[in-house]
Amino acid sequence: MRDGTWNPELPIPMTIREVRQETPAVKRFVLDGSLNAYPGQFVMVWLPGIDEKPFSLMNANPVTLAIAEVGRFTRAMHLLDVGSRLWLRGPFGQGFSLEGRHLLLAAGGYGAAPLVFLARRAREDGRRITVLVAARSREHLLLVEEFRRLGCEVLTCTDDGSDGQPPRLAPLAVEELLQRAAPDALYACGPAGMLDALEALARKYHLSTQLSREAYMRCGIGVCGSCTCGDQLVCRDGPVFRIPG
Amino acid sequence: MAEQLTPHLRVNLCGVPLPNPLVLASGILGTTAELMERVAKNGAGAVTCKSCGPEPRVGHPNPTVLDWGPGLINAVGLANPGIDEAVEILREARRRLQPLGVPLIASVFADSVKGFAEVTRRVCQAEPDLVELNISCPNVEAEFGRPFSLDPEAAAEVTRAARPVCDRPLLVKLSPNVTDVVAIGKAVIAAGADGLTAINTLGPGMIIDIESGWPILANRVGGVSGPAIRPIAVRIVYDLWAHLHVPIIGTGGVTCGRDVIEMIMAGATAVGIGSAVIQDGPAVFSRIAGEVRDFLTSHGYASLNEIRGLAHARRHMES
Ligand SMILES: Cc1cc2nc3c(=O)[nH]c(=O)nc-3n(C[C@H](O)[C@H](O)[C@H](O)COP(=O)(O)OP(=O)(O)OC[C@H]3O[C@@H](n4cnc5c(N)ncnc54)[C@H](O)[C@@H]3O)c2cc1C
Ligand SMILES: Cc1cc2nc3c(=O)[nH]c(=O)nc-3n(C[C@H](O)[C@H](O)[C@H](O)COP(=O)(O)O)c2cc1C
Ligand code: FES
């Protein structure tokens, strides 16, 4: 009833076509279906008898997810192999909107997943993209090659300096890039602390910024009120929130 | 032609003035003060908080809410932060709603009669404008743990316990899942309730995924809401009004101005809106209020008082 019609939005099954270990904690799952979705939107993934949890789309055609193993549900996901089925509701939420000719993307942890989707769309219409991929250490840097293949300029940064660069936290590296490269817009997805710091930077530099945030979700469709961020619902008003430049 | 009137939407619910009849139903968006304020700013005439109980509850695992097309089905499992935190949230909500002129309704539940009295007493410390007893949860003290809402005596007992500790108008929310809802309504009014909210969700129901054979809700069953239940809600409001003539928040499946008018013609004083927020988000309230106003204008009514219970008058004219 979300669109004012009586079309159901029940979970639909998809089969896993490919599983790839991307980092020690993250696996990529390529499914056999597609969705009409924008970068930044998410799906609710249901494993019958286990749970249902939100994940950003890394690609919509075919549906692709990058999932970090952090708890019960994601552990169950990591046990799945080619041929297994999982069920999806969605896509939900407000995704990224493209603006400017030179975009700076900042990915922390599995935040790289929705940003790969965004980078693909932005490259399709010829925009210039600089990506900062951040992680606690080198082996956790996610989807660096994927961004390169899409023609993005990729920089990395690690908390411990194991990528050969000076050890730095992502917001510091982003601030250097803002000063050096003066992008038209900033897009970021990652841990809450990183996003808060980037929000402060966005205000300081008056830079148009879009941040993809997380919250604990139940319905995914804006009824239950469990995903609030101030007076906003992450599932419906977000997960991408804009800070005007 | 008669002079065109500008109708007003104000209603009076148990002595509490509402700027319009549209009430945010319990369990939809009413989790935080900020969110309740946003709903009020988007045109709600009153806001009901998520039902709060004596202790914090995490609720059921996911999936908990599904859109199956003609409505929703949910088994959130009364997830709530417990009365201590709820009182703080309600105080803050009250502070934010008061300047907007939008009353706050505190919804409470418990699994025992004493629990209801205690949670009601505590919730009144936050000074909500009205209190609503959600009696649809099982009575753990009863022999078979049946929900209070299914038995007139159990429903009355809860109401009698809450009444003396509640210094504001008291509503009892009725379940449609009974053979004689009027008997329950009569019992709670006789026990001291000032008004009724009808209805809570229908069911329970079940949705099965036919690819896997699994019932989709983790709780297997859940309450059904949305347009699918509207005719049942309208009939119950009609029956309650016919027998009791008390203020009723008519709730169930309302998604547009036409549905609001229908509820009021059945006898409702105010109209609850829950599942419909998935269509427009909080803006659903201003959209529906506009549709109600348009109906009154185009039909030459000055206020909702002129159509309240109209369906009953039509019945009498027949005979
Ligand atoms: C819009 C959105 C998009 C997401 N996209 C991705 C993605 O692309 N890839 C990915 O791997 N994960 C993503 N997540 C996070 C993912 O939903 C959680 O990691 C997953 O629900 C954890 O489930 P679990 O049962 O494995 O772990 P749990 O046992 O539930 O949790 C493990 C740990 O993670 C914390 N946690 C769990 N969920 C959240 C949350 N929503 N917000 C903050 N902390 C949380 C818990 O507090 C706990 O410490 C996204 C979340 C949201 C809201
Ligand atoms: C997700 C969800 C959660 C609900 N939680 C509560 C609750 O905590 N307390 C309550 O009294 N009713 C609860 N209800 C019932 C609603 O308040 C309302 O009575 C019912 O949904 C019918 O109205 P609707 O068709 O407009 O949604 C809930 C309904 C839904 C859909
Ligand atoms: S998850 Fe239910 S409102 Fe966002």
Side-chain angles (χ1 to χ4, degrees), chain A residues 21-242:
Chain A
Q21 189 86 44
E22 296 285 349
T23 71
V26 177
K27 280 185 178 175
R28 176 200 311 222
F29 298 87
V30 183
L31 310 184
D32 70 345
S34 62
L35 290 170
N36 189 2
Y38 302 103
Q41 288 192 297
F42 70 95
V43 290
M44 296 295 290
V45 180
W46 177 47
L47 293 179
I50 298 174
D51 212 330
E52 186 194 46
K53 298 275 186 169
F55 296 93
S56 299
L57 290 164
M58 180 179 152
N59 193 355
N61 185 15
V63 172
T64 306
L65 307 168
I67 296 187
E69 184 178 338
V70 298
R72 196 171 100 89
F73 182 85
T74 49
R75 198 172 310 126
M77 279 294 306
H78 275 231
L79 293 174
L80 300 182
D81 213 333
V82 173
S84 302
R85 284 197 300 180
L86 43 83
W87 277 252
L88 308 180
R89 282 194 296 141
F92 296 129
Q94 308 300 316
F96 295 109
S97 55
L98 284 172
E99 54 179 296
R101 297 308 306 166
H102 179 200
L103 318 184
L104 174 60
L105 279 47
Y110 54 75
L115 294 177
V116 158
F117 192 4
L118 176 71
R120 192 177 305 110
R121 282 284 163 91
R123 290 296 297 158
E124 274 161 17
D125 49 339
R127 295 173 210 248
R128 180 179 160 206
I129 299 175
T130 305
V131 188
L132 178 79
V133 179
R136 35 179 210 264
S137 63
R138 183 168 181 275
E139 73 270 22
H140 291 287
L141 291 168
L142 183 63
L143 301 173
V144 170
E145 283 316 309
E146 190 77 29
F147 283 114
R148 288 216 171 96
R149 276 203 306 112
L150 291 169
C152 308
E153 179 195 356
V154 184
L155 301 146
T156 62
C157 101
T158 53
D159 301 356
D160 65 357
S162 54
D163 61 341
Q165 308 285 322
R168 281 173 314 177
L169 293 177
L172 197 64
V174 168
E175 185 158 19
E176 284 173 22
L177 277 167
L178 295 183
Q179 290 167 350
R180 185 156 59 79
D184 302 321
L186 171 65
Y187 296 82
C189 183
M194 168 181 149
L195 298 181
D196 292 343
L198 293 183
E199 182 166 347
L201 281 184
R203 295 190 197 284
K204 178 172 163 195
Y205 289 88
H206 302 288
L207 179 64
S208 176
T209 295
Q210 297 176 37
L211 306 174
S212 177
R213 289 195 175 271
E214 289 190 6
Y216 184 73
M217 282 184 193
R218 266 193 264 268
C219 69
I221 51 177
V223 275
C224 73
S226 65
C227 66
T228 56
C229 175
D231 72 351
Q232 300 285 296
L233 298 170
V234 173
C235 72
R236 185 175 177 120
D237 305 308
V240 175
F241 292 99
R242 285 179 87 97

Side-chain angles (χ1 to χ4, degrees), chain B:
Chain B
M1 215 179 100
E3 199 183 318
Q4 186 99 25
L5 298 164
T6 309
H8 76 83
L9 299 188
R10 294 185 297 276
V11 297
N12 183 301
L13 181 64
C14 303
V16 177
L18 273 55
N20 70 61
L22 309 181
V23 179
L24 176 70
S26 181
I28 287 88
L29 301 184
T31 47
T32 70
E34 288 93 333
L35 208 44
M36 287 187 261
E37 179 185 26
R38 180 173 168 199
V39 169
K41 284 183 169 163
N42 273 276
V47 172
T48 315
C49 73
K50 169 94 193 143
S51 295
C52 63
E55 301 291 334
R57 279 170 65 108
V58 291
H60 297 306
N62 268 352
T64 47
V65 184
L66 296 165
D67 175 357
W68 56 282
L72 304 183
I73 185 165
N74 92 84
V76 170
L78 291 168
N80 85 100
I83 185 65
D84 292 341
E85 196 180 325
V87 168
E88 294 313 312
I89 292 170
L90 287 167
R91 273 211 181 97
E92 179 60 20
R94 180 90 183 90
R95 198 184 64 75
R96 288 168 183 253
L97 294 187
Q98 210 156 23
L100 303 171
V102 176
L104 175 66
I105 306 175
S107 171
V108 304
F109 75 90
D111 56 12
S112 68
V113 173
K114 266 176 66 184
F116 263 103
E118 177 57 12
V119 179
T120 302
R121 185 185 70 76
R122 291 291 315 281
V123 97
C124 285
Q125 293 168 350
E127 301 186 6
D129 298 279
L130 300 103
V131 173
E132 179 176 282
L133 305 181
N134 172 9
I135 59 172
S136 295
C137 48
N139 173 5
V140 293
E141 288 164 355
E143 197 175 351
F144 301 107
R146 291 190 353 133
F148 292 103
S149 58
L150 302 189
D151 177 57
E153 189 35 49
E157 207 185 331
V158 166
T159 311
R160 268 195 301 273
R163 179 71 277 180
V165 293
C166 181
D167 56 356
R168 37 213 75 229
L170 184 64
L171 304 168
V172 176
K173 187 166 182 181
L174 303 183
S175 163
N177 310 315
V178 294
T179 43
D180 187 358
V181 71
V182 172
I184 314 270
K186 276 186 179 156
V188 302
I189 294 295
D194 299 297
L196 304 169
T197 301
I199 55 177
N200 212 316
T201 51
L202 186 71
M206 179 183 284
I207 305 275
I208 297 168
D209 174 65
I210 61 166
E211 292 293 327
S212 63
W214 277 85
I216 306 178
L217 292 174
N219 189 50
R220 299 191 311 283
V221 301
V224 181
S225 62
I229 71 168
R230 200 188 71 239
I232 295 164
V234 171
R235 183 267 301 169
I236 287 175
V237 169
Y238 181 96
D239 283 351
L240 291 169
W241 174 254
H243 290 92
L244 290 159
H245 257 76
V246 293
I248 302 167
I249 306 181
T251 306
V254 172
T255 64
C256 61
R258 181 233 162 261
D259 300 347
V260 172
I261 299 295
E262 182 183 35
M263 277 291 185
I264 292 177
M265 287 185 172
T269 293
V271 177
I273 308 240
S275 304
V277 302
I278 77 168
Q279 286 176 14
D280 319 57
V284 71
F285 291 94
S286 49
R287 194 252 298 162
I288 295 180
E291 292 167 359
V292 172
R293 188 173 289 110
D294 289 349
F295 177 90
L296 295 182
T297 306
S298 65
H299 291 72
Y301 294 118
S303 81
L304 294 163
N305 295 330
E306 296 181 18
I307 60 166
R308 183 163 301 107
L310 188 64
H312 300 269
R314 295 290 184 253
R315 187 193 55 167
H316 293 304
M317 277 166 60
E318 233 169 58
S319 45

